Amino acid sequence: MSAERRLSPATLVAVAMKRLVAHPEARVQTRGQMSQGIWHRERSQVRVTQARGKYWPVVGHQIEGQTYLYPEEALFLLEIQQLQVLDAEVPMSVQKAFTVMLTHERAVLRYRVYSHLTRLGYKLIRHQPRPSSQPRKRGPTTSPVVGPEAIHAPIKRSKSHALDAPSRLVVPVAETRLLPAGAWPARTRYDVVFQPRPPDGQAEPQSAEPWDLSQISSWSEWKKNRSRMGPINLPSVQEIRVDCETSGRGFYPLDFWSSSVSPAEEKISITRSVADDTSSARSLASGALRTLWMGPVKPMIPARSVHSTRHILELIRIPNRKCNIRDETLIDDRLEAFKIDFDIFLPNVSFKKSRPGLPNFRVIVTSSDESVPKSQSLQSLKESLADSVPLLMGVVGPGNISFFALQDTSLPRIISVG
Amino acid sequence: MEQHVHLPPPDPGAAVKIQMFFGQGLIWNLEDAIEVRTKHRILGSFIGCLPKAPRQVQRFGLPLLLSSEELFVLLKEKVAVLLEYQDLSLKPNPDQAAEFMKYLEDSFQGQIKASHEDKIQNIKENLSTILDGKRKKALSSGKAIADIREESVFQDEISKLKPLPEDHMAVQTFIEEIWQGRSKIVPDWNFPTTSMERLRSQAFYLLWQEGFHLTDGDKFGGDFLVYNGSPQDHHARFIVVCLSKQPEDLSPNEVAAKYRLGTTVKKTVLLAFFSPNEPNQVLFQSVESSNSNLK
């Protein structure tokens, strides 16, 4: 084995002037086209002393007013002869730079992915977590089914506006037009039960007076006046049960009952019960399909309130919530290992270091002999990101690097009838 | 036949020097890399940027990365020695720095001289063209042609030459470090340790001894790819899959998966496993379909 040849000055001049083609492995570059930097041992970064060339819109960052390069950026620029890294005024060789800048196995994998993608033209920066996004706005509140028409019991307005005992609102319904949309068939009355949470340390809730709704005679008045009545202290309310009959969805948000919106997501449960003796109920009971409407078990959705199969499926859809089961077998012990390494921007995307914007891809670097991430880890990682940027796994093998996308997919709903 | 699992003691006189790098090896010297690949049929993979063509990912340059199994073979055959370079991460000492500065200065001076001579040569070659141009100019401006003499024009042009500025100096970025300093032979490299590592290294070694070329099998979901000749000229013939259990313990689904893996890409899947009877003996079994006439 002989040491690497030092090219003679005449050869260097000839190569620089392109009159001679050097060996493919020889790196010869004119000084004026190279940037200069100094290896900073404590920071494990390169402090830039002279910036030349076209890479600076992407690489480099400021520390205390000076430009620094991360090891992967510096090593790449060194490999493509755009940078000289000096250590005690002596430029580093590629071997020395590899040894000094890649100090653990993961750094080598990361560098290989960085080099691979940058050579293809992508712009890579170290992953920047998004600032914590605003909590998702709640969807529009659906029109509630019930509204008080008349009130029976007086209300006690306590200072804390808390309800300490179940309050029963019995609301007689005189005319169906006073009902909000979606309530069918009409009932003569609705029972609204507020079931408060027992105060800490007590098993049974204490008794107290229910709300006074004597002044409210119609649904619109209820809406106008509910702010005057004060908000329910929602954390103290465990459940609000509304007995009624409805053709719409069975769940209504608690903010219907209060002017202050609570972040809690308790829902009012609607219990379906037998229809009272209203005219509609009578017509059903005597019509052609009367057997359906007799007895304790009835159709959930009356036929005249829907117009297509898709509508029916919408109405009976289970709320679309992601599975929150914390199955221990689905969680990686080494959640550390699945950190996102780089944000990737397409070559033709305008990129500003000060405000990079949302990347086109994100990549997690891993080795080909490591295991595939468990689904729960990926899920929690994606949820913490809360955007739709595709997540890639860059799998580094001895000979090549492959990229896999682990994406959510939704199965289409096929409706073949109606 | 007893198969040696353990490596022989390292031979400092071995020609090829390999830098130990997180369980794998790096070769930085071009001649060593060529020797290992051509003479010893150990292919490794290049992972660096090729200076001539940095903006592509089809062809790579030094360093040559060697997998653990490849290192195993090279050490067993006493062709190479594994080294750790302790001084590589240190700052160059003042003597080394001075030596390098001298080299740079000498190179710069040499380049000034070489480029000067180059330019003189250039003028010599183009002198007739220059003279023609000057004569034409003299004609149009009314000066006498006789005044334009070859020798004076030549000296005139030379005097106009400026020395090579520092910015134009050509710099060579070295691949290999010139001061490798104290290099320590990696004693007792702890490989193979686990049973799967032993299986892989033994399987690799046996197939290598048979004369095949082997590379990593990532692309096809296997452990190795086996070629009859150089991968540049041949397609892979086998995909080797190392099993921690016996082939008969594979479920029919697994066998079908392995079989399909091979047939879709026109290769034979070779299952490698330890013999149940003799420890440390590696057996191979291929998975092929039988052209039976059961219809």
Side-chain angles (χ1 to χ4, degrees), chain B residues 56-229:
Chain B
Q56 46 83 31
V57 290
Q58 308 305 321
R59 294 177 58 217
F60 296 78
L62 287 175
L64 185 70
L65 180 73
L66 298 166
S67 67
S68 316
E69 292 84 25
E70 291 170 323
L71 282 180
F72 183 78
V73 170
L74 289 171
L75 293 174
K76 264 212 131 153
E77 298 287 302
K78 297 197 180 178
V79 160
V81 61
L82 260 187
L83 298 167
E84 251 170 11
Y85 295 105
Q86 296 163 315
D87 289 352
L88 213 52
S89 47
L90 297 178
K91 263 190 195 240
N93 63 43
D95 289 334
Q96 292 166 333
E99 188 204 320
F100 197 87
M101 288 299 131
K102 184 166 183 311
Y103 151 74
L104 273 184
E105 188 55 37
D106 288 347
S107 179
F108 186 39
Q109 294 304 323
Q111 285 183 44
I112 292 174
K113 193 153 160 279
S115 87
H116 191 78
E117 280 165 9
D118 209 52
K119 285 177 188 156
I120 292 176
Q121 188 61 29
N122 207 17
I123 293 172
K124 262 195 206 153
E125 282 163 14
N126 296 324
L127 196 55
S128 49
T129 325
I130 298 171
L131 280 171
D132 282 343
K134 287 210 184 284
R135 280 175 191 141
K136 278 210 185 98
K137 223 166 117 188
L139 271 177
S140 59
S141 64
K143 285 206 205 139
I145 296 178
D147 286 342
I148 297 167
R149 279 192 290 271
E150 193 178 304
E151 188 52 39
S152 58
V153 165
F154 185 60
Q155 290 303 328
D156 201 33
E157 288 297 312
I158 288 178
S159 64
K160 284 194 219 162
L161 287 179
K162 294 201 196 76
L164 189 74
E166 206 176 332
D167 259 7
H168 286 216
M169 172 171 129
V171 167
Q172 181 181 6
T173 305
F174 294 100
I175 301 166
E176 225 184 329
E177 178 65 17
I178 31 177
W179 297 299
Q180 286 165 357
R182 288 177 298 136
S183 59
K184 182 180 81 168
I185 292 179
V186 177
D188 311 325
W189 172 45
N190 235 356
F191 179 87
T193 47
T194 68
S195 140
M196 183 49 86
E197 281 177 354
R198 281 190 298 117
L199 177 58
R200 281 177 60 119
S201 49
Q202 280 298 101
F204 189 96
Y205 190 40
L206 285 171
L207 290 166
W208 179 85
Q209 283 178 319
E210 292 293 317
F212 294 113
H213 287 71
L214 291 107
T215 62
D216 65 287
D218 283 3
K219 281 197 274 259
F220 292 96
D223 288 284
F224 309 115
L225 290 178
V226 180
Y227 297 78
N228 269 336

Side-chain angles (χ1 to χ4, degrees), chain A residues 105-392:
Chain A
E105 202 166 344
R106 190 143 289 277
V108 183
L109 300 176
R110 277 207 294 262
Y111 176 66
R112 287 183 67 187
V113 170
Y114 180 88
S115 166
H116 185 104
L117 290 172
T118 311
R119 284 155 66 164
L120 290 173
Y122 295 96
K123 299 168 191 162
L124 267 74
I125 54 172
R126 287 194 173 182
H127 173 61
Q128 292 174 354
R130 299 278 124 208
S132 57
S133 49
Q134 296 293 321
R136 288 213 196 99
K137 286 197 182 143
R138 300 167 57 118
T141 54
T142 50
S143 60
V145 169
V146 297
E149 297 292 317
I151 311 90
H152 288 257
I155 194 174
K156 169 195 162 189
R157 278 207 222 119
S158 58
K159 274 196 181 158
S160 64
H161 306 297
L163 291 173
D164 300 318
S167 318
R168 169 152 293 206
L169 272 176
V170 180
V171 180
V173 177
E175 296 181 45
T176 55
R177 65 178 173 82
L178 292 173
L179 282 177
W184 186 92
R187 296 193 61 185
T188 49
R189 68 173 191 222
Y190 295 81
D191 287 339
V192 182
V193 179
F194 294 94
Q195 178 73 38
R197 206 187 299 276
D200 292 322
Q202 291 181 317
E204 289 298 320
Q206 298 162 346
S207 63
E209 288 86 345
W211 264 359
D212 174 16
L213 298 166
S214 51
Q215 304 308 311
I216 312 294
S217 58
S218 75
W219 175 235
S220 49
E221 266 207 68
W222 156 255
K223 281 212 272 198
K224 254 192 296 179
N225 286 291
R226 64 181 190 185
S227 54
R228 177 173 64 81
M229 295 169 52
I232 302 174
N233 187 359
L234 289 171
S236 72
V237 177
Q238 198 171 45
E239 182 193 22
I240 295 181
R241 260 182 305 130
V242 179
D243 288 332
C244 69
E245 204 159 353
T246 172
S247 63
R249 284 203 207 183
F251 296 97
Y252 292 87
L254 271 181
D255 60 355
F256 156 63
W257 298 104
S258 165
S259 54
S260 68
V261 177
S262 152
E265 292 204 335
E266 286 106 343
K267 307 257 192 269
I268 305 173
S269 69
I270 305 264
T271 60
R272 288 167 177 75
S273 48
V274 182
D276 263 1
D277 194 17
T278 61
S279 56
S280 323
R282 253 184 274 123
S283 66
L284 281 174
S286 56
L289 290 174
R290 59 180 169 276
T291 48
L292 279 179
W293 295 95
M294 298 192 280
V297 179
K298 309 156 105 62
M300 201 159 83
I301 303 171
R304 64 183 240 188
S305 66
V306 294
H307 39 264
S308 69
T309 310
R310 190 176 294 278
H311 191 193
I312 296 175
L313 291 173
E314 293 279 318
L315 290 173
I316 62 174
R317 186 164 36 144
I318 295 167
N320 190 17
R321 292 185 66 115
K322 288 198 156 66
C323 178
N324 268 340
I325 300 170
R326 299 282 291 176
D327 185 343
E328 294 301 313
T329 59
L330 295 175
I331 301 172
D332 268 296
D333 297 327
R334 307 167 298 129
L335 269 181
E336 249 308 294
F338 295 114
K339 268 197 198 149
I340 299 174
D341 290 291
F342 296 111
D343 292 342
I344 304 173
F345 295 82
L346 292 175
N348 53 357
V349 162
S350 70
F351 174 83
K352 266 193 175 149
K353 261 193 269 185
S354 51
R355 206 184 309 169
L358 219 54
N360 299 106
F361 301 97
R362 293 192 177 105
V363 68
I364 299 172
V365 175
T366 179
S367 147
S368 62
D369 46 25
E370 282 176 33
S371 50
V372 180
K374 302 252 172 84
S375 55
Q376 191 78 30
S377 314
L378 266 186
Q379 195 60 38
S380 32
L381 190 57
K382 282 191 191 175
E383 268 169 19
S384 70
L385 293 170
D387 55 33
S388 57
V389 173
L391 193 57
L392 302 177

